[in-house]
């Protein structure tokens, strides 16, 4: 009987020692942890719709009604109407209005052929230049339509 007790104690000591040794070895000899990859969280900010008058041959032909949004990093607090230092919404609206108003290639008779990809790339570039930082990742078009002057109720 005494032999059985000694064998039981010996088995417990060996089990505890091997568990402790394995834990110690694993915690001190593991491969160095790789830094966690930076996961970028993006946020889409909507801006108010704009209405741009289209003047051709010195006469008002109608209006472009457009609505834009822009993509920014969610952790960046210096944008939008959240009380940050810069109101990027105003810059997006201003750049879009200026670009559309001054664009001589805009043919209101064939508005479906207008190059929106070029417009959004140029808007993003211009907005970031004016802000002095790469704040806006992408500019998006939510709506874009031409409304002839005669279709507007007086």
């Amino acid at each position: 009987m005494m032999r059985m007790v000694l064998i039981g104690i010996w088995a417990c000591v060996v089990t505890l020692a091997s568990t402790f040794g394995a834990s110690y070895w694993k915690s001190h000899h593991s491969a160095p942890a790789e830094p966690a990859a930076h996961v970028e969280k993006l946020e889409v900010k909507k801006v108010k719709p704009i209405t741009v008058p289209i003047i051709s041959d010195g006469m008002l032909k109608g209006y472009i009604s457009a609505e834009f949004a822009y993509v920014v990093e969610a952790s960046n607090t210096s944008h939008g109407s959240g009380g940050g230092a810069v109101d990027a919404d105003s810059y997006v609206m201003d750049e879009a209005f200026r670009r559309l108003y001054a664009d001589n290639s805009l043919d209101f008779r064939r508005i479906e052929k207008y190059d929106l990809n070029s417009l959004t790339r140029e808007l993003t570039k211009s907005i970031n230049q004016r802000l002095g930082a790469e704040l806006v990742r992408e500019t998006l078009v939510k709506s874009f339509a031409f409304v002839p002057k005669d279709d507007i109720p007086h």
Side-chain angles (χ1 to χ4, degrees):
M1 176 94 153
M2 182 65 152
R3 212 185 245 184
M4 295 294 264
V5 172
L6 289 175
I7 292 173
I9 292 174
W10 178 78
C12 288
V13 169
V14 169
T15 303
L16 286 172
S18 63
T19 303
F20 175 76
S23 297
Y24 181 83
W25 180 79
K26 186 174 181 176
S27 66
H28 288 85
H29 296 305
S30 63
E34 292 185 26
H38 174 66
V39 177
E40 185 175 60
K41 293 184 180 182
L42 300 177
E43 186 176 354
V44 177
K45 298 285 201 169
K46 299 176 190 175
V47 295
K48 295 177 185 174
I50 61 170
T51 304
V52 182
I54 300 298
I55 300 171
S56 178
D57 300 325
M59 295 181 57
L60 177 66
K61 300 296 181 175
Y63 298 90
I64 292 287
S65 175
E67 192 171 357
F68 296 93
Y70 60 98
V71 180
V72 292
E73 189 175 337
S75 64
N76 192 338
T77 58
S78 64
H79 63 274
S81 55
V86 176
D87 181 14
D89 293 7
S90 296
Y91 283 89
V92 171
M93 291 170 55
D94 183 65
E95 274 300 317
F97 187 94
R98 289 172 187 255
R99 184 108 10 213
L100 291 171
Y101 186 77
D103 192 349
N104 293 329
S105 71
L106 179 60
D107 184 0
F108 63 91
R109 290 166 286 212
R110 292 192 181 94
I111 199 73
E112 68 277 358
K113 299 286 185 183
Y114 191 66
D115 187 3
L116 291 175
N117 289 331
S118 175
L119 172 68
T120 56
R121 273 193 310 274
E122 289 299 317
L123 283 175
T124 302
K125 182 179 172 185
S126 298
I127 293 163
N128 286 331
Q129 283 177 344
R130 286 180 66 186
L131 292 173
E134 294 295 317
L135 178 70
V136 176
R137 298 293 175 92
E138 187 176 1
T139 305
L140 309 170
V141 178
K142 292 187 60 159
S143 67
F144 191 85
F146 175 73
V147 181
K149 179 180 89 167
D150 298 333
D151 290 356
I152 300 172
H154 299 322

